[in-house]
């Protein structure tokens, strides 16, 4: 199956909202704030400097997404979501690698995300993909459940082209 990675536009917000709600509906104790998001909140976020990365199949069905913010040296991503029936297939890792390649293309050196402390499966996913816990992290706001900051230093492997618009997962 061939997949396409692209940045979101306003036209993608309905599909983004549906995927985000589907993926985050399993977090019930307490419920994820992702479930409070609407097409309008997503549109506003995209219009005010936030980005979103999307992964589509060959039929232009949205399979994975995350939102992100860039600063001078890192890309902080959140709302990482993969269609429920594709979780555990390796698609999330492929999508994460493509997001990291995008960050490198932008000259960024780190990617970071926050994960609920009680979601060992999610923590393991990021650790398997090279992320480490920031032991110095102290949340700057109160979260409804404790969170960890995970970080990965990005290393450019080759000075050749790192852009991958489409790729195949086997």
């Amino acid at each position: 199956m061939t997949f396409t990675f692209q940045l979101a536009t306003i036209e993608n917000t309905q599909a983004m909202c549906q995927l985000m709600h589907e993926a985050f509906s399993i977090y019930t104790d307490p419920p994820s704030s992702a479930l409070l998001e609407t097409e309008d909140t997503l549109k506003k976020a995209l219009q005010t400097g936030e980005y979103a990365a999307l992964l589509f199949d060959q039929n232009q069905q949205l399979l994975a997404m995350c939102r992100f913010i860039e600063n001078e040296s890192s890309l902080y991503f959140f709302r990482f979501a993969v269609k429920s029936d594709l979780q555990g297939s390796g698609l999330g890792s492929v999508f994460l690698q493509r997001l990291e390649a995008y960050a490198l293309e932008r000259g960024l050196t780190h990617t970071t995300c926050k994960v609920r402390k009680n979601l060992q499966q999610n923590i393991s996913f990021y650790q398997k993909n090279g992320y480490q816990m920031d032991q110095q992290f102290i949340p700057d706001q109160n979260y409804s459940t404790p969170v960890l900051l995970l970080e990965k230093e990005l290393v450019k492997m080759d000075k050749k082209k790192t852009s991958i618009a489409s790729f195949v997962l086997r």
Side-chain angles (χ1 to χ4, degrees), residues 100-116:
E100 293 164 359
Y102 170 84
L104 278 170
E105 291 167 11
R106 305 277 297 156
L108 305 174
T109 60
H110 291 82
T111 52
T112 60
C113 66
K114 292 179 184 143
V115 179
R116 289 182 182 202

Side-chain angles (χ1 to χ4, degrees), residues 6-170:
Q6 69 184 54
L7 294 182
T9 65
I10 299 299
E11 290 75 31
N12 302 122
T13 55
Q14 179 181 11
M16 290 169 57
C17 192
Q18 288 172 348
L19 175 57
M20 199 168 46
H21 287 181
E22 173 191 330
F24 283 85
S25 67
I26 63 172
Y27 306 122
T28 59
D29 188 24
S32 173
S33 60
L35 301 175
L36 301 175
E37 304 236 29
T38 65
E39 285 182 59
D40 287 338
T41 61
L42 290 174
K43 286 177 185 176
K44 185 173 183 174
L46 292 175
Q47 292 169 334
T48 57
E50 187 180 291
Y51 299 94
L54 309 176
L55 188 69
F56 291 95
D57 67 9
Q58 68 270 14
N59 298 319
Q60 287 300 298
Q61 180 180 0
L62 183 60
L63 304 178
M65 63 153 289
C66 73
R67 294 165 55 191
F68 65 92
I69 300 168
E70 295 178 29
N71 67 35
E72 59 240 13
S73 65
S74 70
L75 182 147
Y76 167 68
F77 65 93
F78 54 101
R79 302 287 197 247
F80 191 93
V82 175
K83 279 188 63 70
S84 299
D85 60 338
L86 295 173
Q87 292 176 9
S89 70
L91 184 66
S93 293
V94 169
F95 181 52
L96 187 56
Q97 290 167 7
R98 183 56 193 98
L99 181 66
E100 293 164 359
Y102 170 84
L104 278 170
E105 291 167 11
R106 305 277 297 156
L108 305 174
T109 60
H110 291 82
T111 52
T112 60
C113 66
K114 292 179 184 143
V115 179
R116 289 182 182 202
K117 259 187 183 180
N118 65 341
L119 295 178
Q120 189 55 51
Q121 185 175 352
N122 291 5
I123 294 167
S124 294
F125 166 78
Y126 288 112
Q127 288 176 326
K128 176 184 80 171
N129 282 285
Y131 285 75
Q132 297 179 354
M133 285 183 241
D134 179 344
Q135 302 297 333
Q136 311 302 315
F137 174 68
I138 299 172
D140 59 351
Q141 66 184 38
N142 287 331
Y143 288 89
S144 57
T145 185
V147 296
L148 300 171
L149 180 69
L150 299 175
E151 179 177 50
K152 182 175 182 178
E153 184 175 353
L154 302 176
V155 179
K156 194 165 191 169
M157 302 302 254
D158 190 339
K159 291 189 178 191
K160 293 181 181 178
K161 183 179 175 185
T162 59
S163 177
I164 305 169
S166 297
F167 51 90
V168 177
L169 179 66
R170 299 182 196 276

